[in-house]
Amino acid sequence: MKSEILRALRESDGEFVSGQTLCEKAGVTRQAVWKNMVQLKDHGFIIESVPNKGYSLISSPDKLYSADIKSRMKRDSFCQKIESYDITDSTNTRAKHLAELGEEEGTLVIAEEQTSGKGRRGREWKSEPMTSIYMSIILRPKISPIHVSGITLLAALAVVKAIKKTCDVEPLIKWPNDIILGKRKICGILTEMSSELDYINYAVVGIGINVNNKRFPANIKDKATSIYLETEKKQDRAQLAALTAQYFGEYYKKFIEAKSLEPFTIEYNGLLINRNQEVKIFYGMQENAEANKIETGIARGINGDGALIVDTKNGTECVVSGEVSVRGLYGYV
Ligand code: BTN
């Protein structure tokens, strides 16, 4: 109900909305509207109320609050249920736990802070409170487990689209799923799944976006940045989270129908920072020269399976995510 009230206030573009209109839109009594207004104000929403005119939303708090995020999505959005936490261990872990308990596809778990944020390849994902976005979406895709990596690439597309729309900047993608702004990483994506040989019980796509971070620890500051640091503008986290989830749902539905990334390759390849660039391919889990077989080549783009096509001196290779990592010749991108 709070999300319907917030939606109605937002849709009025600063005009007052009468109590009666809010009752009709939210499908509740005047008393219920009033009670919810008090609770929204307690959450930090500034709402002006004037007798005989109604209510007007002056400002929203910088918080990732489920009703607020929902009010910014389309009504028929893929993420119908949102669980927001001030603090959790990891939104991926939380989402997997909910999925084990039977939670439906499309449920979004989002948090202000993570105490055990997880990155790819078993790394830690530093999770500073109240500055970033940590979100995970529960999925139950009816596809073969071998195609699950495609979901990560779709999440990358959704993040880029949402950042462009909300923050008015043009990020790019470092294959398979790092989002880059000003040559450094602003977002990472981690997809995890529980599956049988030929069947996915559930998958969880986890997205971490560095939004308003002002600094990074010494060990990652050469590689990581935030949208704030690149734009010098504080960004609207709730709007960015809502659009990311909204767009992800739209891409995902299309992917499940097509059972392929073919419909997305042109868009993805247009955003690929490595396209037509010389890259180093590391075969194995470690990105250091000693532990791996390394090859260099020119990255051409992804194919319909999400593999990166690389022209090497030995011919064209289709590099599959999970088995390798790719770097620029002289640094991270
Ligand atoms: C990477 O290593 O690039 C992937 C990072 C993924 C981080 C996100 S934050 C939300 C979700 N919960 C986690 O514990 N990890 C993912």
Side-chain angles (χ1 to χ4, degrees):
M1 181 203 314
K2 288 190 186 62
S3 64
E4 283 307 316
I5 292 175
L6 287 171
R7 187 193 298 278
L9 292 176
R10 251 193 211 103
E11 281 173 356
S12 80
D13 263 341
E15 295 294 311
F16 281 87
V17 184
S18 72
Q20 185 55 35
T21 305
L22 289 177
C23 292
E24 283 158 18
K25 293 212 164 169
V28 292
T29 63
R30 282 249 181 179
Q31 208 185 2
V33 166
W34 180 82
K35 212 171 120 191
N36 277 281
M37 284 294 174
V38 172
Q39 288 168 354
L40 285 171
K41 286 177 187 173
D42 285 347
H43 267 101
F45 292 87
I46 311 280
I47 299 168
E48 195 181 354
S49 42
V50 175
N52 299 323
K53 279 177 95 176
Y55 300 92
S56 165
L57 179 64
I58 308 295
S59 68
S60 309
D62 178 22
K63 276 210 75 184
L64 300 171
Y65 170 49
S66 52
D68 188 21
I69 293 170
K70 184 136 202 234
S71 74
R72 297 165 188 252
M73 290 177 183
K74 288 189 188 154
R75 261 200 198 86
D76 64 351
S77 175
F78 176 68
C79 296
Q80 284 295 312
K81 186 166 167 194
I82 304 175
E83 300 234 342
S84 54
Y85 298 89
D86 285 339
I87 186 162
T88 188
D89 47 359
S90 143
T91 55
N92 265 30
T93 306
R94 187 83 208 125
K96 284 197 292 182
H97 179 67
L98 292 172
E100 291 284 350
L101 297 176
E103 189 64 58
E104 270 180 42
E105 170 161 273
T107 296
L108 167 66
V109 177
I110 190 157
E112 291 287 0
E113 184 177 356
Q114 299 185 121
T115 51
S116 307
K118 294 186 289 185
R120 292 175 76 211
R121 297 162 188 262
R123 293 191 194 110
E124 173 196 18
W125 185 257
K126 286 262 180 239
S127 303
E128 191 190 329
M130 306 291 293
T131 54
S132 309
I133 294 172
Y134 312 113
M135 58 189 274
S136 303
I137 304 173
I138 296 174
L139 307 169
R140 297 192 184 274
K142 294 194 172 38
I143 55 172
S144 159
I146 56 167
H147 292 127
V148 86
S149 61
I151 290 173
T152 320
L153 276 70
L154 297 179
L157 285 179
V159 173
V160 168
K161 191 168 172 185
I163 291 177
K164 279 187 179 177
K165 181 99 179 157
T166 313
C167 313
D168 200 23
V169 282
E170 306 272 328
L172 294 170
I173 301 172
K174 174 179 171 285
W175 182 87
N177 49 30
D178 287 354
I179 312 297
I180 307 294
L181 200 56
K183 295 210 164 153
R184 282 183 288 177
K185 177 165 166 173
I186 51 167
C187 167
I189 299 163
L190 174 68
T191 303
E192 298 182 88
M193 70 170 164
S194 151
S195 69
E196 314 293 324
L197 258 181
D198 56 349
Y199 178 83
I200 299 176
N201 298 319
Y202 62 83
V204 160
V205 59
I207 302 171
I209 312 177
N210 303 332
V211 186
N212 289 322
N213 315 57
K214 296 211 163 97
R215 60 192 72 80
F216 287 89
N219 61 330
I220 55 170
K221 78 175 194 313
D222 290 344
K223 230 176 94 168
T225 188
S226 69
I227 308 175
Y228 169 83
L229 287 173
E230 298 304 312
T231 58
E232 295 178 356
K233 230 173 96 190
K234 191 169 176 210
Q235 303 292 341
D236 187 340
R237 291 185 304 141
Q239 182 67 13
L240 182 53
L243 286 192
T244 299
Q246 167 81 46
Y247 294 146
F248 175 77
E250 290 165 8
Y251 284 118
Y252 175 73
K253 281 182 189 162
K254 213 164 151 189
F255 170 67
I256 295 299
E257 273 165 35
K259 293 198 165 40
S260 160
L261 286 172
E262 206 56 67
F264 312 98
T265 53
I266 292 176
E267 185 180 349
Y268 187 96
N269 290 335
L271 294 168
L272 192 64
I273 200 165
N274 325 93
R275 194 167 193 198
N276 298 330
Q277 302 292 317
E278 213 161 359
V279 291
K280 260 192 235 174
I281 311 166
F282 295 83
Y283 291 84
M285 294 301 278
Q286 303 299 317
E287 284 174 23
N288 65 60
E290 298 78 44
N292 294 277
K293 182 186 150 207
I294 305 174
E295 218 174 346
T296 57
I298 310 282
R300 296 300 181 197
I302 60 159
N303 64 18
D305 295 325
L308 186 68
I309 303 160
V310 184
D311 289 338
T312 71
K313 64 177 184 336
N314 302 320
T316 299
E317 294 205 15
C318 291
V319 177
V320 179
S321 103
E323 290 172 11
V324 300
S325 72
V326 167
R327 290 217 164 198
L329 224 47
Y330 305 107
Y332 170 58
V333 282

